[in-house]
């Protein structure tokens, strides 16, 4: 069964610290992997999109990595800010680019 | 401003009373999709549309209907809502080609009593 699992479920860090969120998937065949940021009560916003041939992609302080062999991805947040408090969702696309499989997300809280 | 809009944003209704949640995008996108989000389960795809008059089921289509008569609109219809359809619903759109970005609406919180 195609699944996307994220860890940890929740994370609390101090402002200015770095953190790394994990995503493991069993989707096959694999097309692309996306990371979204979702603020409470709002729709998700895209951070990065990566194909199987890409290992790393950055968007400001957000850096996503992908290992298509082990089917793992990570999202690294550098120098966290209070505004980074949100849920981060890993999304994988398989043989159909129209059908996206979502992880349940990691809820990040950045404290001053 | 490029955006996806949904209406209503909040809705409380009773079991069996038909309702429609509207979704509209102004970006001339081919692809549109509906999702529901429940605590601990993440977003799950209900239906999607690749173009006008072309729709297909997602992972959880039971109890829902959609139509795509115009490119910009993709309404979600609940013919006979039940309490297990209480959820947060999101509409999204994108070009649908290549590594397309998917833009989400603000969400509709539906409660069925």
């Amino acid at each position: 069964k195609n699944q996307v699992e994220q860890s940890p479920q929740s994370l609390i860090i101090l402002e200015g610290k770095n953190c790394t969120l994990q995503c493991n998937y069993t989707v096959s065949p694999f097309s692309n992997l996306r990371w979204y940021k979702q603020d409470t009560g709002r729709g998700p916003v895209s951070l990065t999109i990566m194909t199987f041939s890409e290992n790393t992609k950055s968007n400001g302080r957000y850096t996503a990595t992908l290992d298509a062999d082990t089917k793992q991805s990570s999202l690294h947040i550098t120098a966290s800010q209070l505004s980074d408090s949100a849920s981060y969702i890993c999304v994988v696309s398989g043989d159909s680019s129209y059908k996206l499989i979502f992880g349940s997300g990691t809820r990040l809280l950045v404290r001053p | 401003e490029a955006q996806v809009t949904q209406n209503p944003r909040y809705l409380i209704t009773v079991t069996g009373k038909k309702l429609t949640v509207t979704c509209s995008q102004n970006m001339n996108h081919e692809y549109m999709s509906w999702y529901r989000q429940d605590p601990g389960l993440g977003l799950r795809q209900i239906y999607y549309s690749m173009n006008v008059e072309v729709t297909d089921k997602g992972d959880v289509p039971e109890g829902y209907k959609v139509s795509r008569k115009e490119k910009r609109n993709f309404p979600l219809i609940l013919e006979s809502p039940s309490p297990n359809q209480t959820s947060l619903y999101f509409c999204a759109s994108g070009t649908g080609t290549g590594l397309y970005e998917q833009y989400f609406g603000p969400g509709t919180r539906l409660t069925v009593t």
Side-chain angles (χ1 to χ4, degrees), chain B residues 28-73:
Chain B
N28 200 37
H29 285 159
E30 306 284 342
Y31 172 82
M32 297 184 76
S33 184
W34 275 103
Y35 300 91
R36 61 178 289 174
Q37 186 173 34
D38 302 292
L41 293 179
L43 282 95
R44 292 178 291 169
Q45 193 171 38
I46 303 171
Y47 271 95
Y48 62 94
S49 170
M50 296 80 85
N51 210 329
V52 175
E53 303 290 5
V54 183
T55 64
D56 205 352
K57 296 177 180 179
D59 295 320
V60 288
E62 297 78 18
Y64 304 94
K65 285 177 57 177
V66 292
S67 69
R68 187 93 181 272
K69 298 190 186 326
E70 305 168 282
K71 197 172 189 179
R72 62 183 295 127
N73 297 322

Side-chain angles (χ1 to χ4, degrees), chain A residues 2 6 8 11-12 20-21 48-49 58 64 76 90 94-95 100 107:
Chain A
N2 289 330
Q6 294 186 242
L11 182 63
I12 302 174
T20 300
L21 314 180
T48 63
I49 306 174
S58 293
H76 186 75
C90 176
D95 54 355
L100 303 180
R107 185 183 297 274

Side-chain angles (χ1 to χ4, degrees), chain A residues 66-104:
Chain A
L66 173 63
D67 185 335
D69 292 331
T70 61
K71 299 187 177 181
Q72 296 179 324
S73 176
S74 65
L75 180 70
H76 186 75
I77 304 174
T78 303
S80 61
Q81 301 176 357
L82 298 179
S83 59
D84 291 331
S85 295
S87 287
Y88 292 86
I89 304 171
C90 176
V91 185
V92 177
S93 176
D95 54 355
S96 168
S97 63
Y98 302 120
K99 300 188 77 169
L100 303 180
I101 303 163
F102 289 72
S104 56

Side-chain angles (χ1 to χ4, degrees), chain B residues 75-88:
Chain B
L76 179 69
I77 302 159
L78 284 73
E79 294 271 6
S80 182
S82 62
N84 64 14
Q85 293 178 298
T86 292
S87 187
L88 179 58

